[in-house]
């Protein structure tokens, strides 16, 4: 069974540029999460989707971050414009539903903003 | 406000010995706790979990202990193996809401 797929794996951009990350969750998983992990810290939730509906986006900086999950499958996370402090690993995870304890994580996208 | 804390950033253990990783939390409403293991350049993988109605859960070499009165969680690995070397994150959740992760402990198991 294929795991959570993320692309790109690495991205280097200059500040003020836009960037987008893509996530393909495990087939059949209704719940999708985007996390940000700063160096030396644990993952922090940015947004959670139940199917195509964003049910928890309280930690998403909405002035520059946006996300979508069309058709309740793939998801994209966008930053526009990127700032130096956005440098981090962006992790996507999925689970069968929100009551399932096991979240399966993708390998992450390491973003470096110069 | 960090609700889940792992105060030891690293731990070194000899192969065959016990590894004990600790985690403290502040929110007494947390009702589910998990441990994840993370290898470099990979996403975290689920290891073991425990509900707040229990105080111990065991899965092979891995045992998680929960002390609700102390708001303390620990992961025991016995015996430790070199392949266990990774970063371990504890996470906590309440009422199926979002997970709060600790900052991780890097375990090094020496052959």
């Amino acid at each position: 069974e294929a795991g959570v797929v993320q692309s790109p794996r690495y991205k280097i951009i200059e500040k003020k540029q836009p960037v987008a990350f893509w996530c393909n969750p495990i087939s059949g998983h209704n719940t999708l999460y985007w996390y940000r992990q700063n160096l030396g810290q644990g993952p922090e939730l940015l947004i959670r989707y139940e199917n195509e509906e964003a049910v928890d986006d309280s930690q998403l900086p909405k002035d520059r971050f946006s996300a979508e999950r069309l058709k309740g499958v793939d998801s994209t996370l966008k930053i526009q414009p990127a700032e130096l402090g956005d440098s981090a690993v962006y992790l996507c995870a999925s689970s069968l539903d929100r009551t399932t304890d096991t979240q399966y994580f993708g390998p992450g996208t390491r973003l470096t903003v110069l | 406000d960090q609700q889940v804390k792992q105060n030891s950033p690293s731990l070194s253990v000899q192969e065959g010995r016990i590894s004990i990783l600790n985690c403290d939390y502040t929110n007494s409403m947390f009702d589910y706790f998990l441990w994840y293991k993370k290898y470099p350049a990979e996403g975290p993988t689920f290891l073991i979990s425990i509900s707040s109605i229990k105080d111990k859960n065991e899965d092979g070499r891995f045992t998680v202990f929960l002390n609700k009165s102390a708001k303390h969680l620990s992961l025991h690995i016995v015996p430790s193996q070199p392949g266990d070397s990774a970063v371990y994150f504890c996470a906590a959740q309440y009422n199926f809401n979002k997970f709060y992760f600790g900052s991780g402990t890097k375990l090094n198991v020496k052959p």
Side-chain angles (χ1 to χ4, degrees):
Chain A
E1 179 185 282
V4 176
V5 179
Q6 288 187 251
S7 68
R9 291 294 311 277
Y10 304 91
K11 189 72 176 179
I12 301 174
I13 61 172
E14 293 187 347
K15 63 180 180 180
K16 299 185 182 180
Q17 294 299 306
V19 65
F21 314 123
W22 175 79
C23 173
N24 179 236
I26 292 174
S27 178
H29 281 195
N30 297 318
T31 307
L32 184 146
Y33 311 78
W34 282 104
Y35 287 88
R36 176 169 61 189
Q37 185 177 11
N38 292 312
L39 187 64
Q41 297 182 22
E44 293 182 51
L45 181 70
L46 291 173
I47 189 169
R48 184 182 86 215
Y49 282 94
E50 298 292 339
N51 298 302
E52 64 272 13
E53 182 182 0
V55 296
D56 184 356
D57 62 356
S58 56
Q59 300 302 312
L60 190 72
K62 297 181 182 60
D63 57 337
R64 298 183 299 108
F65 285 65
S66 65
E68 61 181 9
R69 191 184 184 197
L70 300 177
K71 300 181 181 178
V73 181
D74 294 4
S75 178
T76 56
L77 177 69
K78 297 178 182 178
I79 309 175
Q80 182 171 8
E83 297 179 352
L84 295 176
D86 296 331
S87 295
V89 174
Y90 290 83
L91 292 161
C92 179
S94 70
S95 63
L96 279 173
D97 55 55
R98 76 182 189 109
T99 64
T100 305
D101 57 329
T102 305
Q103 294 181 29
Y104 296 85
F105 283 84
T109 297
R110 180 176 293 278
L111 174 67
T112 301
V113 182
L114 303 175
Chain B
D1 178 27
Q2 198 172 359
Q3 300 194 39
V4 178
K5 297 180 181 180
Q6 293 177 257
N7 293 317
S8 297
S10 64
L11 175 68
S12 187
V13 172
Q14 202 68 36
E15 180 180 6
R17 297 290 185 96
I18 183 172
S19 296
I20 300 176
L21 297 99
N22 294 303
C23 179
D24 296 296
Y25 60 95
T26 57
N27 190 340
S28 58
M29 298 295 290
F30 286 141
D31 54 17
Y32 212 91
F33 304 86
L34 303 90
W35 284 94
Y36 281 84
K37 179 170 69 174
K38 185 182 184 302
Y39 293 116
E42 295 183 14
T45 56
F46 171 76
L47 191 58
I48 192 169
S49 64
I50 187 168
S51 165
S52 60
I53 62 174
K54 295 184 177 180
D55 54 18
K56 176 183 175 182
N57 188 27
E58 192 172 352
D59 183 2
R61 297 186 296 114
F62 302 90
T63 303
V64 57
F65 295 92
L66 176 62
N67 183 335
K68 290 186 290 293
S69 60
K71 296 190 182 69
H72 181 79
L73 189 70
S74 64
L75 174 68
H76 292 209
I77 306 174
V78 182
S80 301
Q81 299 173 355
D84 296 329
S85 296
V87 177
Y88 289 79
F89 292 97
C90 66
Q93 178 194 46
Y94 66 92
N95 195 28
F96 304 118
N97 285 301
K98 71 178 185 181
F99 286 95
Y100 294 83
F101 283 82
S103 55
T105 297
K106 186 175 184 179
L107 174 66
N108 179 34
V109 180
K110 297 177 287 186

